[in-house]
Amino acid sequence: MKKKLIIVAIWILSVYILKQNHLLSLHLDALKEFITGNTKYAMLVFVGLWIVRLFAFIPGVTLMILGGICFDPLLGFFLSMAGILISETLVFVLSKTLSSKKLNQFLEHKNPQLKALLEKYNYKFLALGIICPIAPTDAICFLSASVGIHYRTYILTIMISNIPVVMLYSFLGITIGESLLGVTLIVISVVVIGVITVKIWNNLKQKPCNLTANKSITSIEVSL
């Protein structure tokens, strides 16, 4: 988990350094000019990308940063929040309507203990999965719906938990190419949040194991 967090931080700083040295052309001026002349179309395309990303396995962080680059801060924030709510609603619907036994098994195999943690901690673990920068957010949302969380609780948790996350990455999009200090501070913030949430994650992962172990010991004592 920590290695993934370091890779994300290095990737963000690398993009900034390459752009500053004109080794990576992002064509931001041309992009912003196009968006200014086609704002409504650009907004629809951007929100649509939040749905496309589910099937293209594009990290949501990428679109949060893109929203900060392409739009005014407030507009980029609201568009990202709208995209998140729509895409995660789709995840909820798919989890409830699909015959998803094999998919559930695949997600559980790929991310052991997720389902048990969601059953135990419900919306609290869902919020943790959203805030943690390197957590498999969509998988957590899918499994959260599959364990029976109510839609209202599900969508409110997603909305509230994503507010600081979207603000952070939108601001990163704004500062890329403008301020090395701003980018550095945001990267440090992401790393700190990542380290704290990973520690909480690891602590929670051990609790179900301890409970299982205690049950096994109890059953042995009873049999004796």
Short mmCIF file of all heavy atoms in Angstrom, two decimals, residues 139-180:
data_model
loop_
_atom_site.label_atom_id
_atom_site.label_comp_id
_atom_site.label_asym_id
_atom_site.label_seq_id
_atom_site.Cartn_x
_atom_site.Cartn_y
_atom_site.Cartn_z
N ALA A 139 -14.48 -0.93 -6.29
CA ALA A 139 -14.72 -2.28 -5.76
C ALA A 139 -15.38 -2.21 -4.39
O ALA A 139 -16.30 -2.98 -4.08
CB ALA A 139 -13.39 -3.04 -5.66
N ILE A 140 -14.94 -1.27 -3.56
CA ILE A 140 -15.53 -1.10 -2.24
C ILE A 140 -16.99 -0.66 -2.36
O ILE A 140 -17.86 -1.14 -1.63
CB ILE A 140 -14.72 -0.07 -1.42
CG1 ILE A 140 -13.34 -0.66 -1.07
CG2 ILE A 140 -15.45 0.32 -0.13
CD1 ILE A 140 -12.39 0.32 -0.43
N CYS A 141 -17.27 0.26 -3.29
CA CYS A 141 -18.65 0.72 -3.51
C CYS A 141 -19.53 -0.44 -3.99
O CYS A 141 -20.67 -0.60 -3.53
CB CYS A 141 -18.67 1.84 -4.53
SG CYS A 141 -18.02 3.42 -3.91
N PHE A 142 -19.01 -1.25 -4.92
CA PHE A 142 -19.76 -2.38 -5.45
C PHE A 142 -20.09 -3.39 -4.34
O PHE A 142 -21.24 -3.82 -4.19
CB PHE A 142 -18.96 -3.06 -6.55
CG PHE A 142 -19.72 -4.12 -7.31
CD1 PHE A 142 -20.37 -3.80 -8.49
CD2 PHE A 142 -19.80 -5.42 -6.84
CE1 PHE A 142 -21.08 -4.77 -9.19
CE2 PHE A 142 -20.50 -6.40 -7.52
CZ PHE A 142 -21.14 -6.07 -8.71
N LEU A 143 -19.09 -3.74 -3.55
CA LEU A 143 -19.29 -4.70 -2.48
C LEU A 143 -20.15 -4.12 -1.36
O LEU A 143 -20.91 -4.83 -0.71
CB LEU A 143 -17.94 -5.16 -1.92
CG LEU A 143 -17.13 -6.07 -2.85
CD1 LEU A 143 -15.73 -6.30 -2.29
CD2 LEU A 143 -17.83 -7.41 -3.06
N SER A 144 -20.03 -2.81 -1.14
CA SER A 144 -20.86 -2.14 -0.14
C SER A 144 -22.34 -2.29 -0.49
O SER A 144 -23.18 -2.57 0.38
CB SER A 144 -20.48 -0.67 -0.06
OG SER A 144 -21.27 0.00 0.89
N ALA A 145 -22.66 -2.10 -1.76
CA ALA A 145 -24.05 -2.28 -2.21
C ALA A 145 -24.49 -3.73 -2.07
O ALA A 145 -25.63 -4.02 -1.72
CB ALA A 145 -24.19 -1.82 -3.65
N SER A 146 -23.56 -4.65 -2.33
CA SER A 146 -23.91 -6.08 -2.32
C SER A 146 -24.17 -6.61 -0.91
O SER A 146 -24.86 -7.61 -0.75
CB SER A 146 -22.80 -6.90 -2.99
OG SER A 146 -21.66 -6.99 -2.15
N VAL A 147 -23.62 -5.93 0.13
CA VAL A 147 -23.85 -6.41 1.50
C VAL A 147 -25.10 -5.80 2.12
O VAL A 147 -25.40 -6.04 3.29
CB VAL A 147 -22.62 -6.13 2.42
CG1 VAL A 147 -21.40 -6.83 1.90
CG2 VAL A 147 -22.37 -4.63 2.57
N GLY A 148 -25.83 -4.98 1.33
CA GLY A 148 -27.15 -4.53 1.79
C GLY A 148 -27.24 -3.13 2.34
O GLY A 148 -28.24 -2.79 2.98
N ILE A 149 -26.24 -2.28 2.11
CA ILE A 149 -26.32 -0.90 2.58
C ILE A 149 -27.45 -0.17 1.84
O ILE A 149 -27.66 -0.38 0.65
CB ILE A 149 -24.96 -0.18 2.37
CG1 ILE A 149 -24.96 1.18 3.07
CG2 ILE A 149 -24.64 -0.01 0.90
CD1 ILE A 149 -23.59 1.86 3.09
N HIS A 150 -28.21 0.66 2.54
CA HIS A 150 -29.30 1.42 1.91
C HIS A 150 -28.72 2.48 0.98
O HIS A 150 -27.69 3.09 1.28
CB HIS A 150 -30.18 2.07 2.97
CG HIS A 150 -30.95 1.09 3.79
ND1 HIS A 150 -31.94 0.28 3.25
CD2 HIS A 150 -30.87 0.77 5.10
CE1 HIS A 150 -32.44 -0.49 4.20
NE2 HIS A 150 -31.80 -0.23 5.33
N TYR A 151 -29.43 2.76 -0.11
CA TYR A 151 -28.93 3.71 -1.10
C TYR A 151 -28.70 5.09 -0.48
O TYR A 151 -27.70 5.74 -0.77
CB TYR A 151 -29.89 3.83 -2.28
CG TYR A 151 -29.44 4.88 -3.29
CD1 TYR A 151 -28.36 4.64 -4.13
CD2 TYR A 151 -30.08 6.12 -3.35
CE1 TYR A 151 -27.93 5.61 -5.03
CE2 TYR A 151 -29.66 7.09 -4.25
CZ TYR A 151 -28.58 6.83 -5.08
OH TYR A 151 -28.15 7.78 -5.97
N ARG A 152 -29.62 5.54 0.38
CA ARG A 152 -29.47 6.87 0.96
C ARG A 152 -28.18 6.97 1.77
O ARG A 152 -27.44 7.95 1.66
CB ARG A 152 -30.68 7.19 1.85
CG ARG A 152 -30.64 8.61 2.44
CD ARG A 152 -31.85 8.89 3.32
NE ARG A 152 -33.07 8.89 2.54
CZ ARG A 152 -34.28 9.07 3.07
NH1 ARG A 152 -34.42 9.25 4.38
NH2 ARG A 152 -35.35 9.07 2.30
N THR A 153 -27.92 5.96 2.59
CA THR A 153 -26.69 5.93 3.38
C THR A 153 -25.48 5.86 2.47
O THR A 153 -24.47 6.56 2.68
CB THR A 153 -26.69 4.71 4.33
OG1 THR A 153 -27.86 4.76 5.14
CG2 THR A 153 -25.45 4.69 5.21
N TYR A 154 -25.58 5.03 1.46
CA TYR A 154 -24.50 4.82 0.48
C TYR A 154 -24.14 6.13 -0.22
O TYR A 154 -22.97 6.54 -0.24
CB TYR A 154 -24.97 3.77 -0.52
CG TYR A 154 -24.12 3.56 -1.75
CD1 TYR A 154 -23.06 2.66 -1.74
CD2 TYR A 154 -24.42 4.23 -2.94
CE1 TYR A 154 -22.30 2.44 -2.89
CE2 TYR A 154 -23.66 4.01 -4.09
CZ TYR A 154 -22.61 3.12 -4.05
OH TYR A 154 -21.86 2.90 -5.19
N ILE A 155 -25.13 6.82 -0.79
CA ILE A 155 -24.85 8.01 -1.60
C ILE A 155 -24.45 9.19 -0.72
O ILE A 155 -23.60 10.02 -1.12
CB ILE A 155 -26.04 8.35 -2.51
CG1 ILE A 155 -25.55 9.12 -3.76
CG2 ILE A 155 -27.11 9.11 -1.78
CD1 ILE A 155 -24.70 8.33 -4.70
N LEU A 156 -25.02 9.32 0.49
CA LEU A 156 -24.62 10.39 1.40
C LEU A 156 -23.18 10.21 1.87
O LEU A 156 -22.42 11.18 1.98
CB LEU A 156 -25.57 10.44 2.61
CG LEU A 156 -26.91 11.13 2.40
CD1 LEU A 156 -27.79 10.99 3.63
CD2 LEU A 156 -26.72 12.62 2.07
N THR A 157 -22.81 8.95 2.14
CA THR A 157 -21.43 8.66 2.55
C THR A 157 -20.45 9.02 1.43
O THR A 157 -19.41 9.64 1.67
CB THR A 157 -21.27 7.17 2.91
OG1 THR A 157 -22.18 6.84 3.95
CG2 THR A 157 -19.85 6.87 3.38
N ILE A 158 -20.80 8.65 0.20
CA ILE A 158 -19.96 8.96 -0.95
C ILE A 158 -19.85 10.46 -1.14
O ILE A 158 -18.75 10.99 -1.37
CB ILE A 158 -20.51 8.28 -2.22
CG1 ILE A 158 -20.28 6.77 -2.14
CG2 ILE A 158 -19.87 8.86 -3.49
CD1 ILE A 158 -20.96 5.97 -3.24
N MET A 159 -20.96 11.17 -1.03
CA MET A 159 -20.96 12.61 -1.25
C MET A 159 -20.12 13.34 -0.20
O MET A 159 -19.23 14.13 -0.53
CB MET A 159 -22.39 13.15 -1.23
CG MET A 159 -22.48 14.63 -1.53
SD MET A 159 -24.20 15.23 -1.63
CE MET A 159 -24.71 15.05 0.08
N ILE A 160 -20.37 13.05 1.08
CA ILE A 160 -19.67 13.74 2.17
C ILE A 160 -18.18 13.40 2.16
O ILE A 160 -17.32 14.28 2.33
CB ILE A 160 -20.31 13.38 3.53
CG1 ILE A 160 -21.73 13.95 3.60
CG2 ILE A 160 -19.47 13.92 4.68
CD1 ILE A 160 -22.56 13.43 4.74
N SER A 161 -17.84 12.13 1.95
CA SER A 161 -16.44 11.70 1.98
C SER A 161 -15.65 12.27 0.81
O SER A 161 -14.44 12.51 0.92
CB SER A 161 -16.35 10.17 1.95
OG SER A 161 -17.05 9.61 3.04
N ASN A 162 -16.32 12.49 -0.31
CA ASN A 162 -15.63 12.97 -1.51
C ASN A 162 -15.41 14.48 -1.53
O ASN A 162 -14.58 14.95 -2.32
CB ASN A 162 -16.39 12.55 -2.77
CG ASN A 162 -15.88 11.23 -3.33
OD1 ASN A 162 -14.71 11.11 -3.70
ND2 ASN A 162 -16.76 10.25 -3.39
N ILE A 163 -16.12 15.22 -0.71
CA ILE A 163 -15.98 16.68 -0.74
C ILE A 163 -14.53 17.12 -0.52
O ILE A 163 -13.96 17.85 -1.35
CB ILE A 163 -16.95 17.35 0.26
CG1 ILE A 163 -18.38 17.25 -0.26
CG2 ILE A 163 -16.58 18.82 0.48
CD1 ILE A 163 -19.44 17.73 0.72
N PRO A 164 -13.87 16.70 0.58
CA PRO A 164 -12.47 17.13 0.75
C PRO A 164 -11.53 16.53 -0.29
O PRO A 164 -10.56 17.17 -0.70
CB PRO A 164 -12.12 16.62 2.17
CG PRO A 164 -13.09 15.53 2.45
CD PRO A 164 -14.34 15.90 1.72
N VAL A 165 -11.83 15.32 -0.75
CA VAL A 165 -10.99 14.65 -1.74
C VAL A 165 -11.02 15.42 -3.06
O VAL A 165 -9.97 15.70 -3.67
CB VAL A 165 -11.45 13.19 -1.96
CG1 VAL A 165 -10.65 12.54 -3.07
CG2 VAL A 165 -11.32 12.40 -0.66
N VAL A 166 -12.22 15.76 -3.52
CA VAL A 166 -12.36 16.49 -4.79
C VAL A 166 -11.74 17.88 -4.68
O VAL A 166 -11.08 18.34 -5.62
CB VAL A 166 -13.85 16.59 -5.19
CG1 VAL A 166 -14.01 17.47 -6.43
CG2 VAL A 166 -14.43 15.21 -5.47
N MET A 167 -11.93 18.54 -3.56
CA MET A 167 -11.33 19.86 -3.37
C MET A 167 -9.81 19.78 -3.47
O MET A 167 -9.17 20.63 -4.11
CB MET A 167 -11.74 20.43 -2.00
CG MET A 167 -13.19 20.87 -1.92
SD MET A 167 -13.66 21.47 -0.28
CE MET A 167 -12.67 22.95 -0.16
N LEU A 168 -9.23 18.77 -2.85
CA LEU A 168 -7.77 18.60 -2.84
C LEU A 168 -7.22 18.38 -4.25
O LEU A 168 -6.30 19.08 -4.69
CB LEU A 168 -7.39 17.43 -1.93
CG LEU A 168 -5.90 17.19 -1.71
CD1 LEU A 168 -5.28 18.36 -0.95
CD2 LEU A 168 -5.68 15.89 -0.94
N TYR A 169 -7.82 17.44 -4.98
CA TYR A 169 -7.30 17.11 -6.31
C TYR A 169 -7.67 18.17 -7.35
O TYR A 169 -6.92 18.37 -8.31
CB TYR A 169 -7.79 15.73 -6.74
CG TYR A 169 -7.11 14.61 -6.00
CD1 TYR A 169 -7.81 13.81 -5.11
CD2 TYR A 169 -5.75 14.37 -6.18
CE1 TYR A 169 -7.17 12.80 -4.41
CE2 TYR A 169 -5.11 13.36 -5.49
CZ TYR A 169 -5.82 12.57 -4.60
OH TYR A 169 -5.19 11.57 -3.91
N SER A 170 -8.79 18.86 -7.17
CA SER A 170 -9.13 19.96 -8.07
C SER A 170 -8.11 21.08 -7.91
O SER A 170 -7.67 21.69 -8.90
CB SER A 170 -10.53 20.50 -7.76
OG SER A 170 -11.51 19.53 -8.05
N PHE A 171 -7.73 21.36 -6.67
CA PHE A 171 -6.72 22.39 -6.42
C PHE A 171 -5.38 21.98 -7.01
O PHE A 171 -4.62 22.82 -7.50
CB PHE A 171 -6.59 22.65 -4.92
CG PHE A 171 -5.70 23.82 -4.59
CD1 PHE A 171 -6.09 25.11 -4.91
CD2 PHE A 171 -4.48 23.62 -3.97
CE1 PHE A 171 -5.26 26.19 -4.62
CE2 PHE A 171 -3.64 24.68 -3.68
CZ PHE A 171 -4.04 25.98 -3.99
N LEU A 172 -5.09 20.69 -6.98
CA LEU A 172 -3.86 20.19 -7.61
C LEU A 172 -3.88 20.49 -9.10
O LEU A 172 -2.88 20.92 -9.68
CB LEU A 172 -3.71 18.69 -7.36
CG LEU A 172 -2.52 18.00 -8.04
CD1 LEU A 172 -1.21 18.62 -7.57
CD2 LEU A 172 -2.52 16.50 -7.74
N GLY A 173 -5.04 20.26 -9.73
CA GLY A 173 -5.17 20.55 -11.16
C GLY A 173 -4.96 22.02 -11.46
O GLY A 173 -4.35 22.38 -12.48
N ILE A 174 -5.44 22.88 -10.55
CA ILE A 174 -5.27 24.33 -10.74
C ILE A 174 -3.80 24.73 -10.62
O ILE A 174 -3.30 25.57 -11.37
CB ILE A 174 -6.12 25.10 -9.70
CG1 ILE A 174 -7.60 24.83 -9.92
CG2 ILE A 174 -5.85 26.61 -9.76
CD1 ILE A 174 -8.48 25.25 -8.76
N THR A 175 -3.09 24.13 -9.65
CA THR A 175 -1.71 24.55 -9.36
C THR A 175 -0.68 23.93 -10.29
O THR A 175 0.45 24.43 -10.35
CB THR A 175 -1.34 24.21 -7.91
OG1 THR A 175 -1.56 22.81 -7.69
CG2 THR A 175 -2.16 25.01 -6.92
N ILE A 176 -1.01 22.85 -11.00
CA ILE A 176 -0.05 22.24 -11.93
C ILE A 176 0.33 23.28 -12.99
O ILE A 176 -0.52 23.83 -13.67
CB ILE A 176 -0.63 20.98 -12.59
CG1 ILE A 176 -0.65 19.81 -11.60
CG2 ILE A 176 0.20 20.57 -13.82
CD1 ILE A 176 -1.24 18.54 -12.14
N GLY A 177 1.61 23.50 -13.11
CA GLY A 177 2.09 24.48 -14.08
C GLY A 177 2.11 25.89 -13.53
O GLY A 177 2.60 26.81 -14.20
N GLU A 178 1.58 26.09 -12.32
CA GLU A 178 1.54 27.44 -11.74
C GLU A 178 2.47 27.59 -10.55
O GLU A 178 3.17 28.57 -10.41
CB GLU A 178 0.10 27.76 -11.30
CG GLU A 178 -0.94 27.70 -12.42
CD GLU A 178 -0.73 28.75 -13.48
OE1 GLU A 178 -0.17 29.81 -13.15
OE2 GLU A 178 -1.11 28.51 -14.64
N SER A 179 2.48 26.58 -9.67
CA SER A 179 3.24 26.72 -8.43
C SER A 179 3.80 25.37 -7.99
O SER A 179 3.04 24.46 -7.67
CB SER A 179 2.33 27.29 -7.34
OG SER A 179 2.95 27.20 -6.07
N LEU A 180 5.12 25.29 -7.96
CA LEU A 180 5.77 24.06 -7.48
C LEU A 180 5.49 23.86 -6.00
O LEU A 180 5.28 22.74 -5.54
CB LEU A 180 7.28 24.13 -7.73
CG LEU A 180 8.11 22.94 -7.23
CD1 LEU A 180 7.63 21.64 -7.87
CD2 LEU A 180 9.59 23.15 -7.48
#
